[in-house]
Amino acid sequence: MKRSIIPLLLMLIALLIIPFDSAVGTAHEVDISLPSFAVTLNGIIVDSAYREYPFIVYNNITYFPMTYFDCRFLGLETDWSSETGLAIRKTDISGPYENYVTNRRNSSMDKAAISGIYVSVNGIVIDNSREEYPLLVYRGVTYFPMTWRFCYDEFGWDYTFSHETGFAISIPIESLSIDRIEPIVKGESYQLAPVLVPGNASTIGISYSSSNEAVATVSSSGMITAVNAGTTQITAMAPNGTTATVTISVIVPVTQVRIEMEQSRYRFSTDETIRFNVIVLPDDATDKNVDIQVSNAELIGTGSIMPSSSGTASITATATNGLFGKIEIEIIDLNELAEEVVRLTNAERVSAGRSALNGSLALLNSASMTRAKEIIESFSHDRPDGRSCFTAFSDIGLSYGWAGENISMGRDNPESTVAGWMNSEGHRQNILNSNFKSIGVGVAMDDNGRMYWVQMFIG
């Protein structure tokens, strides 16, 4: 029969949950409260309001929950047995911070029990029954008093309290070093990460300086910013005067080539050009020459292209050192789209036994294009100035007997647009109306790339 190892694992990784000594009898309860001040551990602010195991205050002393992660975060190791009780000792052990956050807000006042277990700190036995600030038990977890005697004398922590900043515990640095840093490109940044001994020591209070700020600067948090080519020494100093220095180099190669355009979708009709900019960084790079290649377009000068047809056009700029930037844009020939809407519309009419419409009336197409631009501003059969859509005809001297208008937005192609109209009774009636003899189609696109479609019919 195999012996289960689950109890051992739970003791190692679970919270430190300590039962009362059976000889003590009923535990004595005391009033506790949540801290009314900030609590900071090694630079991390603890939110006791929503913590499963919050920091608590008893008899004006802050108490620390001795969970597995909280102990190791501060370099403490604990052992528990029913024979010897609870042993607490300072070690070089370190671990990550665990917030134990919950969705339930803790009450500002509560009850805790005075622990009845045997306790030793760094090998010295403590008689909890005689302690002015005894260990407590709250929510099944042992709580330890954060007094000067224990925090500073026994555990060697830096311990501060003020009404302005609250209660703070940090582990002091015994030594620090900085690993070698690869050359940094001008304009880029690098976050220093000093190696501390002990590993869970606090980085609070470390100051940084640069021997040549014309080459690189360093912030109070250790963020290096490369300014100009050259070398400089970066020094980190702990509050106790311990220092570490590293030499860094700043270089200025061509690091980026990119192409900038106002948008990723462009509409065009005929002989229109589209501007682009080639950006080579950094600004003081030695060789900023680039070779520009384009597809589905003609290169006009060094900063414009003339699209060839609908589809995808690409622009590639390659620097001398091989770095390149490339951009692809969607080219939309509005004339082609309008012609396809006419073709699909006439296909629907012929299929329904109606005659095909004339799509070549220049004035009708002009009015339709005007309306397409107007419905970007106001998606309605009324014009932005409040007049009927059909005044677009009279404005340009186009007469008619019968008239109709279909509008649509958001569809990306003629097929889905015509299909949408055909699936709508009112729009379908316009398309199949035997009184109509001519059609005009307008297509427009807003700055966000959304398409707008207009059909105008006359008879």
PDB file of all heavy atoms in Angstrom, residues 136-151:
ATOM      1  N   LEU A 136      -1.471  36.302  16.553  1.00  0.00           N
ATOM      2  CA  LEU A 136      -2.917  36.135  16.450  1.00  0.00           C
ATOM      3  C   LEU A 136      -3.251  35.108  15.381  1.00  0.00           C
ATOM      4  O   LEU A 136      -2.404  34.774  14.535  1.00  0.00           O
ATOM      5  CB  LEU A 136      -3.585  37.468  16.092  1.00  0.00           C
ATOM      6  CG  LEU A 136      -3.350  38.642  17.046  1.00  0.00           C
ATOM      7  CD1 LEU A 136      -4.029  39.895  16.501  1.00  0.00           C
ATOM      8  CD2 LEU A 136      -3.865  38.325  18.443  1.00  0.00           C
ATOM      9  N   VAL A 137      -4.455  34.622  15.422  1.00  0.00           N
ATOM     10  CA  VAL A 137      -4.968  33.749  14.370  1.00  0.00           C
ATOM     11  C   VAL A 137      -6.209  34.415  13.791  1.00  0.00           C
ATOM     12  O   VAL A 137      -7.141  34.760  14.524  1.00  0.00           O
ATOM     13  CB  VAL A 137      -5.309  32.344  14.886  1.00  0.00           C
ATOM     14  CG1 VAL A 137      -5.955  31.511  13.773  1.00  0.00           C
ATOM     15  CG2 VAL A 137      -4.046  31.658  15.394  1.00  0.00           C
ATOM     16  N   TYR A 138      -6.207  34.599  12.464  1.00  0.00           N
ATOM     17  CA  TYR A 138      -7.319  35.237  11.779  1.00  0.00           C
ATOM     18  C   TYR A 138      -7.571  34.496  10.469  1.00  0.00           C
ATOM     19  O   TYR A 138      -6.649  34.297   9.684  1.00  0.00           O
ATOM     20  CB  TYR A 138      -6.996  36.710  11.517  1.00  0.00           C
ATOM     21  CG  TYR A 138      -8.107  37.488  10.853  1.00  0.00           C
ATOM     22  CD1 TYR A 138      -9.360  37.611  11.437  1.00  0.00           C
ATOM     23  CD2 TYR A 138      -7.887  38.123   9.624  1.00  0.00           C
ATOM     24  CE1 TYR A 138     -10.373  38.348  10.832  1.00  0.00           C
ATOM     25  CE2 TYR A 138      -8.892  38.855   9.013  1.00  0.00           C
ATOM     26  CZ  TYR A 138     -10.134  38.960   9.622  1.00  0.00           C
ATOM     27  OH  TYR A 138     -11.134  39.673   9.004  1.00  0.00           O
ATOM     28  N   ARG A 139      -8.788  34.055  10.277  1.00  0.00           N
ATOM     29  CA  ARG A 139      -9.171  33.280   9.099  1.00  0.00           C
ATOM     30  C   ARG A 139      -8.287  32.047   8.935  1.00  0.00           C
ATOM     31  O   ARG A 139      -7.892  31.669   7.815  1.00  0.00           O
ATOM     32  CB  ARG A 139      -9.132  34.140   7.840  1.00  0.00           C
ATOM     33  CG  ARG A 139     -10.175  35.247   7.839  1.00  0.00           C
ATOM     34  CD  ARG A 139     -10.180  36.075   6.581  1.00  0.00           C
ATOM     35  NE  ARG A 139     -11.219  37.105   6.651  1.00  0.00           N
ATOM     36  CZ  ARG A 139     -11.396  38.064   5.734  1.00  0.00           C
ATOM     37  NH1 ARG A 139     -10.608  38.102   4.660  1.00  0.00           N
ATOM     38  NH2 ARG A 139     -12.354  38.963   5.875  1.00  0.00           N
ATOM     39  N   GLY A 140      -7.905  31.447  10.042  1.00  0.00           N
ATOM     40  CA  GLY A 140      -7.121  30.226  10.010  1.00  0.00           C
ATOM     41  C   GLY A 140      -5.649  30.425   9.731  1.00  0.00           C
ATOM     42  O   GLY A 140      -4.910  29.454   9.557  1.00  0.00           O
ATOM     43  N   VAL A 141      -5.170  31.655   9.703  1.00  0.00           N
ATOM     44  CA  VAL A 141      -3.772  31.959   9.397  1.00  0.00           C
ATOM     45  C   VAL A 141      -3.129  32.659  10.587  1.00  0.00           C
ATOM     46  O   VAL A 141      -3.743  33.513  11.226  1.00  0.00           O
ATOM     47  CB  VAL A 141      -3.670  32.851   8.139  1.00  0.00           C
ATOM     48  CG1 VAL A 141      -2.242  33.325   7.918  1.00  0.00           C
ATOM     49  CG2 VAL A 141      -4.150  32.081   6.924  1.00  0.00           C
ATOM     50  N   THR A 142      -1.905  32.274  10.896  1.00  0.00           N
ATOM     51  CA  THR A 142      -1.163  32.914  11.972  1.00  0.00           C
ATOM     52  C   THR A 142      -0.729  34.312  11.536  1.00  0.00           C
ATOM     53  O   THR A 142      -0.209  34.498  10.433  1.00  0.00           O
ATOM     54  CB  THR A 142       0.071  32.083  12.345  1.00  0.00           C
ATOM     55  OG1 THR A 142      -0.351  30.787  12.778  1.00  0.00           O
ATOM     56  CG2 THR A 142       0.854  32.751  13.467  1.00  0.00           C
ATOM     57  N   TYR A 143      -0.916  35.303  12.410  1.00  0.00           N
ATOM     58  CA  TYR A 143      -0.528  36.691  12.142  1.00  0.00           C
ATOM     59  C   TYR A 143       0.576  37.097  13.100  1.00  0.00           C
ATOM     60  O   TYR A 143       0.512  36.812  14.297  1.00  0.00           O
ATOM     61  CB  TYR A 143      -1.729  37.619  12.297  1.00  0.00           C
ATOM     62  CG  TYR A 143      -2.548  37.745  11.043  1.00  0.00           C
ATOM     63  CD1 TYR A 143      -3.300  36.676  10.557  1.00  0.00           C
ATOM     64  CD2 TYR A 143      -2.566  38.933  10.320  1.00  0.00           C
ATOM     65  CE1 TYR A 143      -4.049  36.788   9.401  1.00  0.00           C
ATOM     66  CE2 TYR A 143      -3.315  39.064   9.157  1.00  0.00           C
ATOM     67  CZ  TYR A 143      -4.051  37.992   8.702  1.00  0.00           C
ATOM     68  OH  TYR A 143      -4.785  38.120   7.557  1.00  0.00           O
ATOM     69  N   PHE A 144       1.586  37.801  12.561  1.00  0.00           N
ATOM     70  CA  PHE A 144       2.796  38.132  13.314  1.00  0.00           C
ATOM     71  C   PHE A 144       2.861  39.639  13.540  1.00  0.00           C
ATOM     72  O   PHE A 144       2.614  40.425  12.615  1.00  0.00           O
ATOM     73  CB  PHE A 144       4.024  37.664  12.536  1.00  0.00           C
ATOM     74  CG  PHE A 144       5.253  37.512  13.369  1.00  0.00           C
ATOM     75  CD1 PHE A 144       5.478  36.348  14.088  1.00  0.00           C
ATOM     76  CD2 PHE A 144       6.192  38.530  13.450  1.00  0.00           C
ATOM     77  CE1 PHE A 144       6.622  36.203  14.864  1.00  0.00           C
ATOM     78  CE2 PHE A 144       7.332  38.392  14.213  1.00  0.00           C
ATOM     79  CZ  PHE A 144       7.543  37.226  14.929  1.00  0.00           C
ATOM     80  N   PRO A 145       3.210  40.088  14.748  1.00  0.00           N
ATOM     81  CA  PRO A 145       3.286  41.530  15.020  1.00  0.00           C
ATOM     82  C   PRO A 145       4.520  42.156  14.377  1.00  0.00           C
ATOM     83  O   PRO A 145       5.647  41.678  14.553  1.00  0.00           O
ATOM     84  CB  PRO A 145       3.366  41.592  16.550  1.00  0.00           C
ATOM     85  CG  PRO A 145       4.009  40.294  16.940  1.00  0.00           C
ATOM     86  CD  PRO A 145       3.528  39.277  15.950  1.00  0.00           C
ATOM     87  N   MET A 146       4.311  43.244  13.656  1.00  0.00           N
ATOM     88  CA  MET A 146       5.421  43.905  12.961  1.00  0.00           C
ATOM     89  C   MET A 146       6.007  44.995  13.863  1.00  0.00           C
ATOM     90  O   MET A 146       5.940  46.194  13.564  1.00  0.00           O
ATOM     91  CB  MET A 146       4.920  44.508  11.651  1.00  0.00           C
ATOM     92  CG  MET A 146       4.192  43.527  10.741  1.00  0.00           C
ATOM     93  SD  MET A 146       5.295  42.355   9.948  1.00  0.00           S
ATOM     94  CE  MET A 146       5.799  43.297   8.541  1.00  0.00           C
ATOM     95  N   THR A 147       6.599  44.565  14.947  1.00  0.00           N
ATOM     96  CA  THR A 147       7.218  45.507  15.883  1.00  0.00           C
ATOM     97  C   THR A 147       8.679  45.717  15.496  1.00  0.00           C
ATOM     98  O   THR A 147       9.275  44.965  14.726  1.00  0.00           O
ATOM     99  CB  THR A 147       7.142  44.958  17.311  1.00  0.00           C
ATOM    100  OG1 THR A 147       7.856  43.711  17.372  1.00  0.00           O
ATOM    101  CG2 THR A 147       5.706  44.738  17.731  1.00  0.00           C
ATOM    102  N   TRP A 148       9.267  46.779  16.042  1.00  0.00           N
ATOM    103  CA  TRP A 148      10.683  47.068  15.798  1.00  0.00           C
ATOM    104  C   TRP A 148      11.553  45.891  16.238  1.00  0.00           C
ATOM    105  O   TRP A 148      12.520  45.533  15.560  1.00  0.00           O
ATOM    106  CB  TRP A 148      11.077  48.333  16.555  1.00  0.00           C
ATOM    107  CG  TRP A 148      12.517  48.729  16.359  1.00  0.00           C
ATOM    108  CD1 TRP A 148      13.593  48.337  17.084  1.00  0.00           C
ATOM    109  CD2 TRP A 148      13.009  49.582  15.330  1.00  0.00           C
ATOM    110  NE1 TRP A 148      14.746  48.884  16.598  1.00  0.00           N
ATOM    111  CE2 TRP A 148      14.414  49.667  15.518  1.00  0.00           C
ATOM    112  CE3 TRP A 148      12.432  50.288  14.302  1.00  0.00           C
ATOM    113  CZ2 TRP A 148      15.222  50.436  14.678  1.00  0.00           C
ATOM    114  CZ3 TRP A 148      13.231  51.057  13.479  1.00  0.00           C
ATOM    115  CH2 TRP A 148      14.610  51.126  13.667  1.00  0.00           C
ATOM    116  N   ARG A 149      11.191  45.282  17.343  1.00  0.00           N
ATOM    117  CA  ARG A 149      11.963  44.156  17.880  1.00  0.00           C
ATOM    118  C   ARG A 149      12.110  43.044  16.848  1.00  0.00           C
ATOM    119  O   ARG A 149      13.204  42.508  16.642  1.00  0.00           O
ATOM    120  CB  ARG A 149      11.271  43.632  19.142  1.00  0.00           C
ATOM    121  CG  ARG A 149      11.749  42.281  19.630  1.00  0.00           C
ATOM    122  CD  ARG A 149      10.809  41.776  20.704  1.00  0.00           C
ATOM    123  NE  ARG A 149      11.034  40.392  21.046  1.00  0.00           N
ATOM    124  CZ  ARG A 149      10.186  39.664  21.761  1.00  0.00           C
ATOM    125  NH1 ARG A 149       9.057  40.222  22.209  1.00  0.00           N
ATOM    126  NH2 ARG A 149      10.444  38.407  22.038  1.00  0.00           N
ATOM    127  N   PHE A 150      11.023  42.704  16.172  1.00  0.00           N
ATOM    128  CA  PHE A 150      11.090  41.606  15.217  1.00  0.00           C
ATOM    129  C   PHE A 150      11.537  42.085  13.830  1.00  0.00           C
ATOM    130  O   PHE A 150      12.435  41.509  13.221  1.00  0.00           O
ATOM    131  CB  PHE A 150       9.731  40.912  15.126  1.00  0.00           C
ATOM    132  CG  PHE A 150       9.364  40.162  16.367  1.00  0.00           C
ATOM    133  CD1 PHE A 150       8.251  40.522  17.098  1.00  0.00           C
ATOM    134  CD2 PHE A 150      10.138  39.097  16.807  1.00  0.00           C
ATOM    135  CE1 PHE A 150       7.905  39.833  18.248  1.00  0.00           C
ATOM    136  CE2 PHE A 150       9.803  38.400  17.962  1.00  0.00           C
ATOM    137  CZ  PHE A 150       8.684  38.773  18.684  1.00  0.00           C
ATOM    138  N   CYS A 151      10.915  43.152  13.348  1.00  0.00           N
ATOM    139  CA  CYS A 151      11.212  43.594  11.981  1.00  0.00           C
ATOM    140  C   CYS A 151      12.671  43.994  11.821  1.00  0.00           C
ATOM    141  O   CYS A 151      13.341  43.586  10.866  1.00  0.00           O
ATOM    142  CB  CYS A 151      10.307  44.759  11.593  1.00  0.00           C
ATOM    143  SG  CYS A 151       8.574  44.300  11.409  1.00  0.00           S
TER     144      CYS A 151
END
